[in-house]
Amino acid sequence: MTPAIVGGIVAVVVVIVAGAGWAIVRMRRVVKIETPEEAADAAQTQLAGFTAAGAVVGADGQGALAIASNGRVAAVKRVGKRLAVYEVSWQRVRATHKGILVETGDRALGAVMLSQVDVLDIRRLAPKGVRV
């Protein structure tokens, strides 16, 4: 084998290994809810008559809460590449030491955690007349 052939084989191996490494990193990347607007849009799209007045996203981007102008509230959670939305009552939203926890009661969706979000953030979003 000539040095050119050996060099070509090494180059091909390096490209294959680099491509495999990039694919593994890409598969492990956690997809997040990027903005409150993204959560609000998902709630408006998936819930009939839901007009979002605002939304808040947890620090890790895994959970969000969208609040409608009439006081309705929706938990939003990233499930794979899509956003799952579930309307809940205000009684299911509670503060914990890690953030806001929304117990949806839905077996498939489970609980939604808004990490590093506190009660004041939620109160700012809630329409007047809604007790949080």
Side-chain angles (χ1 to χ4, degrees):
M1 281 194 183
T2 66
I5 293 174
V6 172
I9 292 171
V10 169
V12 168
V13 169
V14 167
V15 167
I16 291 171
V17 169
W22 179 80
I24 290 170
V25 168
R26 182 127 170 100
M27 286 188 317
R28 289 187 181 179
R29 189 182 93 206
V30 176
V31 181
K32 298 179 179 183
I33 301 170
E34 296 293 334
T35 64
E37 290 79 15
E38 184 180 8
D41 289 344
Q44 289 182 152
T45 302
Q46 295 182 39
L47 298 175
F50 192 95
T51 304
V56 62
V57 178
D60 62 358
Q62 295 303 300
L65 203 64
I67 300 168
S69 54
N70 63 357
R72 293 170 63 191
V73 62
V76 183
K77 185 175 183 179
R78 177 69 68 184
V79 178
K81 291 184 177 183
R82 70 177 193 90
L83 292 178
V85 178
Y86 194 83
E87 187 168 354
V88 297
S89 67
W90 279 103
Q91 289 78 22
R92 294 191 174 257
V93 179
R94 64 184 177 93
T96 69
H97 66 282
K98 291 182 180 180
I100 298 296
L101 178 66
V102 183
E103 297 170 344
T104 65
D106 181 66
R107 295 185 86 190
L109 186 60
V112 176
M113 174 58 79
L114 284 71
S115 61
Q116 298 179 13
V117 174
D118 62 23
V119 174
L120 292 177
D121 296 324
I122 302 302
R123 284 186 181 156
R124 285 185 198 111
L125 289 173
K128 293 186 190 242
V130 174
R131 188 165 181 249
V132 181

